[in-house]
């Protein structure tokens, strides 16, 4: 069994190494704690309570740290908030983890002991994950390009099929029209007499159209004549009503002893006869009008109103 002899220099080296590692760990822990406190100082704007106008001024004058370094440290701890043992692994390792995505950080925590892994090993693992992620993104991009090309090809194929179907339908319609035209030409060539008949029928059709226009003109004139007659009769009735109202007003203004009051029957006749004449004329118009259904309904409505008014009186 070989016995290792520790010289004084060897002992000094071992002790010094342990102190350096411990001091480095404490320094990393203290640096992390300082960054957390710097973040709180910045987020809560507590530097204003100390008389500083902005966070950068506080870092440089109070802490003795460049504002860029302070912001970099804060950015690192903000990006690795979900990392376990965040305060024990040091800022160098945290800086490496901060360069990864949140998913990659979770993956590397499942495969690597962050506290025991050296910075070099952690960097190698981070580089591996980045390379794998970059390759996956490249493969995904290539696959998406292939899918887009395939989709474009399918769209072009569908467009060609649609154009083909439309062309075939157009060709079919053209052939049908051509066949119909050929049949008509053949029919006309074989039956010249039918051409004369068709011409004659066309002339008769023109005559019929002319006759229809004449009848429409006569109907329009008849309607206009009825309308004028009604307006004239309306004016006559209005004149009679005005005259009766004038007589009634004159009678009211005469002294009581000179008023000649007729009987109720005579007064009723004065209203009854014009009303009967107007109703008879209206019925004549209804019998001759073009929209007879409408006029009949309105006349029936008038009779209903009259019955209702009589019912209210009696």
């Amino acid at each position: 069994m070989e016995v290792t002899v520790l010289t004084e220099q060897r002992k000094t080296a071992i002790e010094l190494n342990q102190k350096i590692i411990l001091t480095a760990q404490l320094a990393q822990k203290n640096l992390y704690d300082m960054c957390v406190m710097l973040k709180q100082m910045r987020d809560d704007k507590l530097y204003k309570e100390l008389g500083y106008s902005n966070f950068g001024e506080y870092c440089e004058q109070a802490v003795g740290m460049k504002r860029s370094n302070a912001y970099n440290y804060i950015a690192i701890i903000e990006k690795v908030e979900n990392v376990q043992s965040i305060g024990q692994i040091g800022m160098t390792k945290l800086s490496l983890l901060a360069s990864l995505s949140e998913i990659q950080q979770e993956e590397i925590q499942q495969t690597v002991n962050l506290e025991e892994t050296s910075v070099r090993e952690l960097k190698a693992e981070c580089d591996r994950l980045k390379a794998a992620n970059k390759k996956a993104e490249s493969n995904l991009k290539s696959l998406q390009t292939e899918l887009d090309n395939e989709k474009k090809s399918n769209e072009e194929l569908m467009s060609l099929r649609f154009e083909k179907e439309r062309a075939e339908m157009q060709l079919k319609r053209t052939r049908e029209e051509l066949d119909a035209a050929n049949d008509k030409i053949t029919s006309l060539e074989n039956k010249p007499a039918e051409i004369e008949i068709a011409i004659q029928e066309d002339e008769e059709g023109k005559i019929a159209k002319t006759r229809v226009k004449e009848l429409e003109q006569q109907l329009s004139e008849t309607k206009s004549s009825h309308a004028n007659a009604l307006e004239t009769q309306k004016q006559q009735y209005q004149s009679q009503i005005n005259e009766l109202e004038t007589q009634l007003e004159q009678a009211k203004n005469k002294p009581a002893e000179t008023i000649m009051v007729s009987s109720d029957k005579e007064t009723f006749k004065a209203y009854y006869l014009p009303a009967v004449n107007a109703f008879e004329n209206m019925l004549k118009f209804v019998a001759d009008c073009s929209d007879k259904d409408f006029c009949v309904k309105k006349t029936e409505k008038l009779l209903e109103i009259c019955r209702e008014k009589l019912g209210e009186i009696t």
Side-chain angles (χ1 to χ4, degrees), residues 35-53:
C35 292
V36 173
M37 290 184 286
L38 284 174
K39 182 178 185 303
Q40 182 181 358
M41 180 69 73
R42 183 199 66 179
D43 295 346
D44 296 341
K45 295 182 173 55
L46 298 176
Y47 52 83
K48 291 184 178 181
E49 300 295 331
L50 302 177
Y52 297 98
S53 59

Side-chain angles (χ1 to χ4, degrees), residues 7-31:
T7 63
E8 290 297 328
Q9 189 173 2
R10 175 72 174 177
K11 290 179 181 180
T12 302
I14 292 174
E15 292 175 358
L16 184 60
N17 177 62
Q18 291 176 347
K19 290 179 180 179
I20 290 174
I21 293 174
L22 179 60
T23 303
Q25 290 176 350
L26 291 174
Q28 293 286 356
K29 177 65 170 61
N30 292 335
L31 180 59

Side-chain angles (χ1 to χ4, degrees), residues 141-157:
K141 185 176 181 180
S142 300
L143 180 60
Q144 185 64 45
T145 301
E146 293 177 2
L147 290 175
D148 293 340
N149 292 335
E150 184 177 355
K151 181 180 179 181
K152 184 177 180 181
S153 299
N154 290 336
E155 291 176 352
E156 292 177 352
L157 180 60

Side-chain angles (χ1 to χ4, degrees), residues 171-211:
L171 179 60
K172 182 180 179 181
R173 286 196 297 267
T174 302
R175 287 176 176 174
E176 291 174 352
E177 293 174 358
L178 181 60
D179 292 340
N182 289 331
D183 291 342
K184 188 173 183 180
I185 292 173
T186 302
S187 176
L188 292 175
E189 289 176 349
N190 295 334
K191 298 179 180 180
E194 292 182 359
I195 299 176
E196 296 179 358
I197 295 173
I199 295 174
Q200 184 177 0
E201 290 177 350
D202 185 58
E203 292 295 331
E204 292 176 354
K206 292 180 180 179
I207 295 173
K209 290 180 179 179
T210 302
R211 180 56 180 165

Side-chain angles (χ1 to χ4, degrees), residues 218-233:
Q218 292 177 5
L219 178 60
S220 177
E221 292 175 354
T222 302
K223 288 182 179 180
S224 177
S225 176
H226 277 293
N228 293 334
L230 287 174
E231 183 63 25
T232 301
Q233 193 172 35

